[in-house]
Amino acid sequence: MAVSCGGAKPNSTAKSPKKEAGGDVAAFCDGYIEMVQASDSEEELRSLGEKADALFDEVEANAPQEVSGPVGVVVDATRQAAAEGTPEAFMSREFDVAVNELNSYMFDNCESDAKLDVTGVEYAFEGVPDTVSAGRVALRFTNDGDQPHEFIVFRKNDGVTESFDEILELPEGQSEERMTFVGATFADPGESNAAVFEAEAGEYIALCFFPVGATVEGPEPEEGEGPPGPDHWVEGMRSEFTVE
């Protein structure tokens, strides 16, 4: 606006399209995901152009009544971000809460090609299969640890021959050239959040970038100071999987 634990390939969880008071669930799910994908970066925000208003109107018109409130928050922020060409409108607690509520709704109600229930602990991801079906992936991420955790998914770019180990050893700018952000979610200790994203065939990795010692409230390191510790993924909170 999100896999070292193995397991069997999940079955498709596709549901029949349904209607709810205030909107068409299937149309809402399709439009909302399109809106999210079109606002993943500043470049994409700036390219929304004339398409933006029609897309935003469609999402609001099809929103089921039970999520009309968070839909309004997310659409208003995305309208502003598209108009400004920057994601600053997304930097609020209200926006985060609305997105999490919508993602949880979508996990439970939207048609998907795969559903994943992933758990985060110190320092590992649990419950993610080796292979995931291509298409729409619904993810629910539960934090059973004592620190905040996140599940950030990247796809290795086509033509890249290095392993993820080799990519992660590169300077940040070079590693970013070899992977593409796909989706993400995070959860505080004892909580769950969800994410829905489109995944095409390829090699993927999920990482947690919170530093060891991070807490829900912070504190943020003072200027000139380093983080409390190494990133969680360095300690083992990283998982590779294949989408096919």
Side-chain angles (χ1 to χ4, degrees), residues 3-11 114-118 125-133 137-139 151 204 239-243:
V3 220
S4 58
C5 301
K9 182 175 180 178
N11 294 325
K115 279 194 175 181
L116 309 180
D117 261 308
V118 181
F125 296 126
E126 300 176 344
V128 183
D130 291 325
T131 306
V132 175
S133 298
V137 178
L139 164 73
F151 191 86
Y204 287 72
S239 299
E240 297 181 31
F241 61 100
T242 301
V243 172

Side-chain angles (χ1 to χ4, degrees), residues 21-44:
D24 182 317
V25 174
F28 166 73
C29 294
D30 291 342
Y32 180 75
I33 290 177
E34 183 179 355
M35 184 180 74
V36 170
Q37 291 177 324
S39 56
D40 273 344
S41 68
E42 291 189 21
E43 181 180 355
E44 288 169 322

Side-chain angles (χ1 to χ4, degrees), residues 87-109:
E88 291 183 11
F90 301 149
M91 310 303 179
S92 73
R93 178 62 177 169
E94 181 185 27
F95 179 82
D96 288 341
V97 169
V99 167
N100 289 336
E101 185 173 345
L102 286 176
N103 285 340
S104 294
Y105 174 87
M106 294 181 70
F107 182 90
D108 291 330
N109 294 278

Side-chain angles (χ1 to χ4, degrees), residues 13-77:
T13 54
K15 301 178 181 179
S16 298
K18 58 182 179 178
K19 295 274 288 187
E20 288 188 6
D24 182 317
V25 174
F28 166 73
C29 294
D30 291 342
Y32 180 75
I33 290 177
E34 183 179 355
M35 184 180 74
V36 170
Q37 291 177 324
S39 56
D40 273 344
S41 68
E42 291 189 21
E43 181 180 355
E44 288 169 322
L45 280 171
R46 289 192 293 268
S47 68
L48 274 175
E50 296 179 357
K51 172 185 176 182
D53 284 336
L55 178 58
F56 299 149
D57 290 345
E58 177 184 1
V59 170
E60 289 187 305
N62 289 313
Q65 186 174 356
E66 66 182 278
V67 289
S68 60
V71 166
V73 171
V74 173
V75 169
D76 286 348

Side-chain angles (χ1 to χ4, degrees), residues 168-187:
L168 292 171
E169 290 177 356
L170 295 171
E172 183 174 344
Q174 295 182 35
S175 63
E176 290 177 348
E177 293 175 351
R178 289 162 170 79
M179 302 187 299
T180 298
F181 169 79
V182 176
T185 189
F186 79 96

